[in-house]
Amino acid sequence: MSEKNREGKRTAREKLAVEREKQKSADKRRRALIVGGAVVAVLGLAAVIGVVAANAGKDDDSEASGPVVAPSGAQGKDGLAIPVGKDSAKSTLTVWEDFRCPACKSFETAYRPVIHELTNAGELKVDYHLVTLIDGNMRGTGSRNAANAAACAQDAGKFPAYHDVLFDNQPPEVDDAFADNAKLIELAGKVDGLDTPAFRTCVEKGTHNGWVAKSHQAFNKGGFSGTPTVLFDGKNIYQDRTMTPAKLKQMVQEANKE
């Protein structure tokens, strides 16, 4: 065999060896990618499962409200209404509110003076139903905790004043400040005689959390579109763009003449 032919075969073998090494390297990279992808997939699935589990835990916490303990003097179906005003009043206003709801605060700011005037005069009774709509929309427990604290205030005979204090001190909708029971107790200091050991225990233990949850369930079953829902003679007057405090007063006075 000539020197030239031997050199040619050696070069061919070397080229083949190089190609084999390239193929081995490619195979190794492919296997690494497959394994790596599987690990990422497993980790991704674990992360998803973790998120689902965490969210499930939050939902469980929000729904594990304990026994239904209605506040003192609650009225209406299932004892879900906190009444303000005299039972002898001929007219009744039904209000569904959430203490974290900005629209509820706007309603209270505009209509509170005339509602106080009519309830104090014995012309109107207001049935307040407490809702936790914002907790569901924005996450958190401020609506529930504030509603529980308001129910605790009802036990102490201080609901109307504390109800107004909560709306006067409402945090921004995205701020779940009312989730802090210490804040709710601090605000109780603005109502004479409310900040007592009994009130504090009621707030801290969430005594009425189950009742609040049941009230919110009733709101959902009622098919209402949002808060506040303000019903007079079965009609949602809050949706009436022509409604004003003066018009509400006129409606009550006219209804009382019948």
mmCIF file of all heavy atoms in Angstrom, residues 33-82:
data_model
loop_
_atom_site.group_PDB
_atom_site.id
_atom_site.type_symbol
_atom_site.label_atom_id
_atom_site.label_comp_id
_atom_site.label_asym_id
_atom_site.label_seq_id
_atom_site.Cartn_x
_atom_site.Cartn_y
_atom_site.Cartn_z
ATOM 1 N N LEU A 33 -30.953 17.782 28.473
ATOM 2 C CA LEU A 33 -32.128 18.630 28.259
ATOM 3 C C LEU A 33 -33.404 17.916 28.655
ATOM 4 O O LEU A 33 -34.303 18.497 29.265
ATOM 5 C CB LEU A 33 -32.201 19.055 26.787
ATOM 6 C CG LEU A 33 -31.166 20.094 26.342
ATOM 7 C CD1 LEU A 33 -31.241 20.296 24.829
ATOM 8 C CD2 LEU A 33 -31.398 21.423 27.065
ATOM 9 N N ILE A 34 -33.461 16.616 28.299
ATOM 10 C CA ILE A 34 -34.661 15.831 28.638
ATOM 11 C C ILE A 34 -34.828 15.736 30.153
ATOM 12 O O ILE A 34 -35.895 15.971 30.717
ATOM 13 C CB ILE A 34 -34.594 14.429 28.012
ATOM 14 C CG1 ILE A 34 -34.717 14.539 26.482
ATOM 15 C CG2 ILE A 34 -35.694 13.527 28.573
ATOM 16 C CD1 ILE A 34 -34.461 13.236 25.748
ATOM 17 N N VAL A 35 -33.713 15.389 30.825
ATOM 18 C CA VAL A 35 -33.758 15.276 32.294
ATOM 19 C C VAL A 35 -34.065 16.619 32.920
ATOM 20 O O VAL A 35 -34.887 16.741 33.830
ATOM 21 C CB VAL A 35 -32.417 14.719 32.836
ATOM 22 C CG1 VAL A 35 -32.400 14.781 34.355
ATOM 23 C CG2 VAL A 35 -32.210 13.297 32.350
ATOM 24 N N GLY A 36 -33.374 17.665 32.420
ATOM 25 C CA GLY A 36 -33.606 19.007 32.959
ATOM 26 C C GLY A 36 -35.036 19.450 32.775
ATOM 27 O O GLY A 36 -35.663 20.014 33.663
ATOM 28 N N GLY A 37 -35.578 19.151 31.578
ATOM 29 C CA GLY A 37 -36.976 19.517 31.316
ATOM 30 C C GLY A 37 -37.921 18.798 32.254
ATOM 31 O O GLY A 37 -38.898 19.362 32.739
ATOM 32 N N ALA A 38 -37.624 17.526 32.504
ATOM 33 C CA ALA A 38 -38.473 16.746 33.419
ATOM 34 C C ALA A 38 -38.427 17.336 34.819
ATOM 35 O O ALA A 38 -39.436 17.444 35.511
ATOM 36 C CB ALA A 38 -38.012 15.293 33.451
ATOM 37 N N VAL A 39 -37.205 17.750 35.253
ATOM 38 C CA VAL A 39 -37.070 18.346 36.587
ATOM 39 C C VAL A 39 -37.855 19.641 36.672
ATOM 40 O O VAL A 39 -38.575 19.906 37.640
ATOM 41 C CB VAL A 39 -35.581 18.594 36.913
ATOM 42 C CG1 VAL A 39 -35.445 19.416 38.192
ATOM 43 C CG2 VAL A 39 -34.844 17.276 37.059
ATOM 44 N N VAL A 40 -37.709 20.476 35.622
ATOM 45 C CA VAL A 40 -38.447 21.740 35.594
ATOM 46 C C VAL A 40 -39.946 21.491 35.640
ATOM 47 O O VAL A 40 -40.703 22.158 36.338
ATOM 48 C CB VAL A 40 -38.074 22.559 34.336
ATOM 49 C CG1 VAL A 40 -39.012 23.750 34.187
ATOM 50 C CG2 VAL A 40 -36.633 23.028 34.441
ATOM 51 N N ALA A 41 -40.387 20.484 34.850
ATOM 52 C CA ALA A 41 -41.810 20.166 34.821
ATOM 53 C C ALA A 41 -42.309 19.743 36.197
ATOM 54 O O ALA A 41 -43.366 20.160 36.661
ATOM 55 C CB ALA A 41 -42.092 19.057 33.801
ATOM 56 N N VAL A 42 -41.506 18.900 36.860
ATOM 57 C CA VAL A 42 -41.886 18.438 38.204
ATOM 58 C C VAL A 42 -41.932 19.606 39.176
ATOM 59 O O VAL A 42 -42.865 19.745 39.961
ATOM 60 C CB VAL A 42 -40.896 17.358 38.707
ATOM 61 C CG1 VAL A 42 -41.148 17.058 40.185
ATOM 62 C CG2 VAL A 42 -41.056 16.090 37.885
ATOM 63 N N LEU A 43 -40.895 20.459 39.112
ATOM 64 C CA LEU A 43 -40.862 21.611 39.996
ATOM 65 C C LEU A 43 -42.025 22.558 39.714
ATOM 66 O O LEU A 43 -42.639 23.113 40.622
ATOM 67 C CB LEU A 43 -39.526 22.362 39.846
ATOM 68 C CG LEU A 43 -38.285 21.630 40.365
ATOM 69 C CD1 LEU A 43 -37.029 22.441 40.053
ATOM 70 C CD2 LEU A 43 -38.396 21.384 41.867
ATOM 71 N N GLY A 44 -42.301 22.730 38.408
ATOM 72 C CA GLY A 44 -43.424 23.588 38.034
ATOM 73 C C GLY A 44 -44.732 23.056 38.571
ATOM 74 O O GLY A 44 -45.561 23.780 39.097
ATOM 75 N N LEU A 45 -44.910 21.727 38.425
ATOM 76 C CA LEU A 45 -46.130 21.102 38.934
ATOM 77 C C LEU A 45 -46.205 21.251 40.448
ATOM 78 O O LEU A 45 -47.258 21.545 41.012
ATOM 79 C CB LEU A 45 -46.145 19.623 38.563
ATOM 80 C CG LEU A 45 -47.362 18.807 39.045
ATOM 81 C CD1 LEU A 45 -48.645 19.410 38.488
ATOM 82 C CD2 LEU A 45 -47.227 17.352 38.631
ATOM 83 N N ALA A 46 -45.051 21.089 41.107
ATOM 84 C CA ALA A 46 -45.027 21.231 42.569
ATOM 85 C C ALA A 46 -45.399 22.646 42.967
ATOM 86 O O ALA A 46 -46.121 22.867 43.941
ATOM 87 C CB ALA A 46 -43.637 20.884 43.100
ATOM 88 N N ALA A 47 -44.899 23.621 42.189
ATOM 89 C CA ALA A 47 -45.226 25.020 42.498
ATOM 90 C C ALA A 47 -46.715 25.277 42.346
ATOM 91 O O ALA A 47 -47.336 25.938 43.170
ATOM 92 C CB ALA A 47 -44.433 25.950 41.574
ATOM 93 N N VAL A 48 -47.283 24.729 41.242
ATOM 94 C CA VAL A 48 -48.723 24.899 41.017
ATOM 95 C C VAL A 48 -49.525 24.264 42.142
ATOM 96 O O VAL A 48 -50.452 24.845 42.680
ATOM 97 C CB VAL A 48 -49.132 24.282 39.657
ATOM 98 C CG1 VAL A 48 -50.653 24.255 39.542
ATOM 99 C CG2 VAL A 48 -48.528 25.084 38.518
ATOM 100 N N ILE A 49 -49.102 23.028 42.497
ATOM 101 C CA ILE A 49 -49.790 22.338 43.589
ATOM 102 C C ILE A 49 -49.678 23.149 44.876
ATOM 103 O O ILE A 49 -50.621 23.278 45.637
ATOM 104 C CB ILE A 49 -49.206 20.926 43.783
ATOM 105 C CG1 ILE A 49 -49.563 20.052 42.572
ATOM 106 C CG2 ILE A 49 -49.725 20.281 45.065
ATOM 107 C CD1 ILE A 49 -48.885 18.701 42.566
ATOM 108 N N GLY A 50 -48.481 23.748 45.102
ATOM 109 C CA GLY A 50 -48.277 24.547 46.299
ATOM 110 C C GLY A 50 -49.182 25.758 46.334
ATOM 111 O O GLY A 50 -49.768 26.088 47.361
ATOM 112 N N VAL A 51 -49.300 26.432 45.167
ATOM 113 C CA VAL A 51 -50.178 27.596 45.089
ATOM 114 C C VAL A 51 -51.620 27.201 45.333
ATOM 115 O O VAL A 51 -52.352 27.850 46.077
ATOM 116 C CB VAL A 51 -50.037 28.282 43.710
ATOM 117 C CG1 VAL A 51 -51.108 29.340 43.535
ATOM 118 C CG2 VAL A 51 -48.662 28.909 43.582
ATOM 119 N N VAL A 52 -52.049 26.125 44.688
ATOM 120 C CA VAL A 52 -53.424 25.651 44.876
ATOM 121 C C VAL A 52 -53.677 25.306 46.336
ATOM 122 O O VAL A 52 -54.689 25.656 46.918
ATOM 123 C CB VAL A 52 -53.699 24.417 43.982
ATOM 124 C CG1 VAL A 52 -55.038 23.799 44.329
ATOM 125 C CG2 VAL A 52 -53.674 24.827 42.514
ATOM 126 N N ALA A 53 -52.699 24.608 46.938
ATOM 127 C CA ALA A 53 -52.844 24.225 48.347
ATOM 128 C C ALA A 53 -52.901 25.448 49.233
ATOM 129 O O ALA A 53 -53.701 25.522 50.165
ATOM 130 C CB ALA A 53 -51.683 23.327 48.761
ATOM 131 N N ALA A 54 -52.044 26.438 48.927
ATOM 132 C CA ALA A 54 -52.039 27.656 49.743
ATOM 133 C C ALA A 54 -53.359 28.393 49.626
ATOM 134 O O ALA A 54 -53.933 28.837 50.611
ATOM 135 C CB ALA A 54 -50.889 28.572 49.297
ATOM 136 N N ASN A 55 -53.852 28.497 48.372
ATOM 137 C CA ASN A 55 -55.130 29.176 48.172
ATOM 138 C C ASN A 55 -56.269 28.400 48.806
ATOM 139 O O ASN A 55 -57.203 28.984 49.360
ATOM 140 C CB ASN A 55 -55.406 29.364 46.670
ATOM 141 C CG ASN A 55 -54.506 30.412 46.069
ATOM 142 O OD1 ASN A 55 -54.002 31.279 46.784
ATOM 143 N ND2 ASN A 55 -54.294 30.351 44.767
ATOM 144 N N ALA A 56 -56.170 27.070 48.708
ATOM 145 C CA ALA A 56 -57.219 26.257 49.327
ATOM 146 C C ALA A 56 -57.224 26.488 50.825
ATOM 147 O O ALA A 56 -58.263 26.582 51.456
ATOM 148 C CB ALA A 56 -56.987 24.777 49.024
ATOM 149 N N GLY A 57 -56.016 26.633 51.398
ATOM 150 C CA GLY A 57 -55.940 26.883 52.833
ATOM 151 C C GLY A 57 -56.570 28.206 53.202
ATOM 152 O O GLY A 57 -57.267 28.320 54.198
ATOM 153 N N LYS A 58 -56.339 29.228 52.347
ATOM 154 C CA LYS A 58 -56.922 30.542 52.620
ATOM 155 C C LYS A 58 -58.435 30.475 52.569
ATOM 156 O O LYS A 58 -59.134 31.044 53.387
ATOM 157 C CB LYS A 58 -56.405 31.561 51.596
ATOM 158 C CG LYS A 58 -54.921 31.905 51.771
ATOM 159 C CD LYS A 58 -54.459 32.867 50.702
ATOM 160 C CE LYS A 58 -52.975 33.181 50.836
ATOM 161 N NZ LYS A 58 -52.492 34.075 49.764
ATOM 162 N N ASP A 59 -58.946 29.774 51.553
ATOM 163 C CA ASP A 59 -60.397 29.658 51.427
ATOM 164 C C ASP A 59 -60.976 28.925 52.626
ATOM 165 O O ASP A 59 -62.023 29.283 53.136
ATOM 166 C CB ASP A 59 -60.763 28.911 50.134
ATOM 167 C CG ASP A 59 -60.472 29.747 48.892
ATOM 168 O OD1 ASP A 59 -60.319 30.970 49.031
ATOM 169 O OD2 ASP A 59 -60.387 29.163 47.810
ATOM 170 N N ASP A 60 -60.267 27.857 53.049
ATOM 171 C CA ASP A 60 -60.742 27.100 54.197
ATOM 172 C C ASP A 60 -60.788 27.983 55.431
ATOM 173 O O ASP A 60 -61.731 27.938 56.210
ATOM 174 C CB ASP A 60 -59.825 25.900 54.457
ATOM 175 C CG ASP A 60 -60.003 24.817 53.405
ATOM 176 O OD1 ASP A 60 -61.015 24.858 52.671
ATOM 177 O OD2 ASP A 60 -59.126 23.950 53.313
ATOM 178 N N ASP A 61 -59.743 28.849 55.577
ATOM 179 C CA ASP A 61 -59.715 29.740 56.736
ATOM 180 C C ASP A 61 -60.878 30.709 56.702
ATOM 181 O O ASP A 61 -61.481 31.018 57.724
ATOM 182 C CB ASP A 61 -58.395 30.533 56.766
ATOM 183 C CG ASP A 61 -57.227 29.637 57.142
ATOM 184 O OD1 ASP A 61 -57.466 28.551 57.697
ATOM 185 O OD2 ASP A 61 -56.093 30.054 56.865
ATOM 186 N N SER A 62 -61.201 31.225 55.526
ATOM 187 C CA SER A 62 -62.257 32.224 55.417
ATOM 188 C C SER A 62 -63.633 31.619 55.644
ATOM 189 O O SER A 62 -64.554 32.292 56.073
ATOM 190 C CB SER A 62 -62.206 32.910 54.040
ATOM 191 O OG SER A 62 -62.520 31.982 53.023
ATOM 192 N N GLU A 63 -63.758 30.311 55.320
ATOM 193 C CA GLU A 63 -65.074 29.691 55.442
ATOM 194 C C GLU A 63 -65.249 28.958 56.764
ATOM 195 O O GLU A 63 -66.358 28.661 57.178
ATOM 196 C CB GLU A 63 -65.286 28.717 54.272
ATOM 197 C CG GLU A 63 -65.393 29.435 52.920
ATOM 198 C CD GLU A 63 -65.500 28.455 51.768
ATOM 199 O OE1 GLU A 63 -65.550 27.243 52.030
ATOM 200 O OE2 GLU A 63 -65.522 28.905 50.621
ATOM 201 N N ALA A 64 -64.125 28.662 57.430
ATOM 202 C CA ALA A 64 -64.219 27.972 58.717
ATOM 203 C C ALA A 64 -64.557 28.995 59.788
ATOM 204 O O ALA A 64 -63.704 29.431 60.542
ATOM 205 C CB ALA A 64 -62.897 27.275 59.023
ATOM 206 N N SER A 65 -65.810 29.415 59.790
ATOM 207 C CA SER A 65 -66.204 30.552 60.607
ATOM 208 C C SER A 65 -66.762 30.160 61.961
ATOM 209 O O SER A 65 -67.085 31.012 62.767
ATOM 210 C CB SER A 65 -67.255 31.393 59.850
ATOM 211 O OG SER A 65 -66.771 31.758 58.586
ATOM 212 N N GLY A 66 -66.902 28.880 62.201
ATOM 213 C CA GLY A 66 -67.406 28.453 63.492
ATOM 214 C C GLY A 66 -68.918 28.499 63.570
ATOM 215 O O GLY A 66 -69.613 28.674 62.568
ATOM 216 N N PRO A 67 -69.457 28.366 64.773
ATOM 217 C CA PRO A 67 -70.914 28.326 64.960
ATOM 218 C C PRO A 67 -71.561 29.668 64.645
ATOM 219 O O PRO A 67 -70.910 30.712 64.715
ATOM 220 C CB PRO A 67 -71.053 27.975 66.448
ATOM 221 C CG PRO A 67 -69.790 28.486 67.066
ATOM 222 C CD PRO A 67 -68.718 28.235 66.036
ATOM 223 N N VAL A 68 -72.829 29.618 64.289
ATOM 224 C CA VAL A 68 -73.569 30.845 63.983
ATOM 225 C C VAL A 68 -74.128 31.409 65.289
ATOM 226 O O VAL A 68 -75.077 30.870 65.860
ATOM 227 C CB VAL A 68 -74.710 30.564 62.982
ATOM 228 C CG1 VAL A 68 -75.528 31.838 62.750
ATOM 229 C CG2 VAL A 68 -74.132 30.047 61.675
ATOM 230 N N VAL A 69 -73.519 32.495 65.747
ATOM 231 C CA VAL A 69 -73.959 33.161 66.976
ATOM 232 C C VAL A 69 -74.465 34.547 66.602
ATOM 233 O O VAL A 69 -73.678 35.452 66.296
ATOM 234 C CB VAL A 69 -72.805 33.276 67.992
ATOM 235 C CG1 VAL A 69 -73.285 33.972 69.267
ATOM 236 C CG2 VAL A 69 -72.230 31.900 68.317
ATOM 237 N N ALA A 70 -75.767 34.715 66.588
ATOM 238 C CA ALA A 70 -76.360 36.001 66.215
ATOM 239 C C ALA A 70 -76.133 37.023 67.326
ATOM 240 O O ALA A 70 -76.161 36.677 68.509
ATOM 241 C CB ALA A 70 -77.849 35.839 65.944
ATOM 242 N N PRO A 71 -75.914 38.274 66.962
ATOM 243 C CA PRO A 71 -75.751 39.307 67.991
ATOM 244 C C PRO A 71 -77.074 39.575 68.703
ATOM 245 O O PRO A 71 -78.148 39.269 68.195
ATOM 246 C CB PRO A 71 -75.288 40.528 67.187
ATOM 247 C CG PRO A 71 -75.798 40.291 65.802
ATOM 248 C CD PRO A 71 -75.735 38.811 65.606
ATOM 249 N N SER A 72 -76.970 40.156 69.853
ATOM 250 C CA SER A 72 -78.148 40.461 70.658
ATOM 251 C C SER A 72 -79.135 41.337 69.884
ATOM 252 O O SER A 72 -78.740 42.330 69.260
ATOM 253 C CB SER A 72 -77.714 41.183 71.938
ATOM 254 O OG SER A 72 -78.831 41.562 72.700
ATOM 255 N N GLY A 73 -80.403 40.939 69.895
ATOM 256 C CA GLY A 73 -81.438 41.760 69.277
ATOM 257 C C GLY A 73 -81.552 41.625 67.772
ATOM 258 O O GLY A 73 -82.334 42.356 67.143
ATOM 259 N N ALA A 74 -80.786 40.713 67.166
ATOM 260 C CA ALA A 74 -80.880 40.529 65.710
ATOM 261 C C ALA A 74 -82.281 40.072 65.341
ATOM 262 O O ALA A 74 -82.925 39.328 66.080
ATOM 263 C CB ALA A 74 -79.847 39.522 65.240
ATOM 264 N N GLN A 75 -82.753 40.513 64.190
ATOM 265 C CA GLN A 75 -84.125 40.229 63.764
ATOM 266 C C GLN A 75 -84.149 39.679 62.343
ATOM 267 O O GLN A 75 -83.121 39.449 61.730
ATOM 268 C CB GLN A 75 -84.978 41.507 63.848
ATOM 269 C CG GLN A 75 -85.117 42.085 65.242
ATOM 270 C CD GLN A 75 -85.973 43.343 65.270
ATOM 271 O OE1 GLN A 75 -86.389 43.851 64.230
ATOM 272 N NE2 GLN A 75 -86.233 43.858 66.466
ATOM 273 N N GLY A 76 -85.341 39.484 61.825
ATOM 274 C CA GLY A 76 -85.519 39.050 60.446
ATOM 275 C C GLY A 76 -85.274 37.569 60.256
ATOM 276 O O GLY A 76 -85.040 36.825 61.209
ATOM 277 N N LYS A 77 -85.319 37.145 59.006
ATOM 278 C CA LYS A 77 -85.119 35.746 58.674
ATOM 279 C C LYS A 77 -83.749 35.281 59.147
ATOM 280 O O LYS A 77 -82.727 35.892 58.838
ATOM 281 C CB LYS A 77 -85.256 35.538 57.162
ATOM 282 C CG LYS A 77 -85.131 34.079 56.748
ATOM 283 C CD LYS A 77 -85.286 33.918 55.241
ATOM 284 C CE LYS A 77 -85.144 32.453 54.849
ATOM 285 N NZ LYS A 77 -85.244 32.258 53.381
ATOM 286 N N ASP A 78 -83.726 34.202 59.911
ATOM 287 C CA ASP A 78 -82.492 33.617 60.453
ATOM 288 C C ASP A 78 -81.746 34.569 61.379
ATOM 289 O O ASP A 78 -80.569 34.358 61.681
ATOM 290 C CB ASP A 78 -81.554 33.163 59.326
ATOM 291 C CG ASP A 78 -82.157 32.049 58.478
ATOM 292 O OD1 ASP A 78 -82.880 31.210 59.050
ATOM 293 O OD2 ASP A 78 -81.887 32.020 57.262
ATOM 294 N N GLY A 79 -82.426 35.643 61.824
ATOM 295 C CA GLY A 79 -81.771 36.591 62.727
ATOM 296 C C GLY A 79 -80.570 37.265 62.112
ATOM 297 O O GLY A 79 -79.551 37.469 62.770
ATOM 298 N N LEU A 80 -80.648 37.655 60.832
ATOM 299 C CA LEU A 80 -79.493 38.205 60.117
ATOM 300 C C LEU A 80 -79.508 39.725 60.000
ATOM 301 O O LEU A 80 -78.596 40.302 59.412
ATOM 302 C CB LEU A 80 -79.407 37.584 58.721
ATOM 303 C CG LEU A 80 -79.161 36.070 58.683
ATOM 304 C CD1 LEU A 80 -79.146 35.564 57.252
ATOM 305 C CD2 LEU A 80 -77.846 35.718 59.388
ATOM 306 N N ALA A 81 -80.534 40.374 60.540
ATOM 307 C CA ALA A 81 -80.626 41.829 60.441
ATOM 308 C C ALA A 81 -80.373 42.481 61.793
ATOM 309 O O ALA A 81 -80.902 42.044 62.818
ATOM 310 C CB ALA A 81 -82.002 42.234 59.924
ATOM 311 N N ILE A 82 -79.546 43.522 61.797
ATOM 312 C CA ILE A 82 -79.355 44.330 62.999
ATOM 313 C C ILE A 82 -80.247 45.553 62.860
ATOM 314 O O ILE A 82 -80.032 46.382 61.971
ATOM 315 C CB ILE A 82 -77.883 44.755 63.162
ATOM 316 C CG1 ILE A 82 -77.012 43.523 63.426
ATOM 317 C CG2 ILE A 82 -77.740 45.762 64.297
ATOM 318 C CD1 ILE A 82 -75.538 43.838 63.600
#
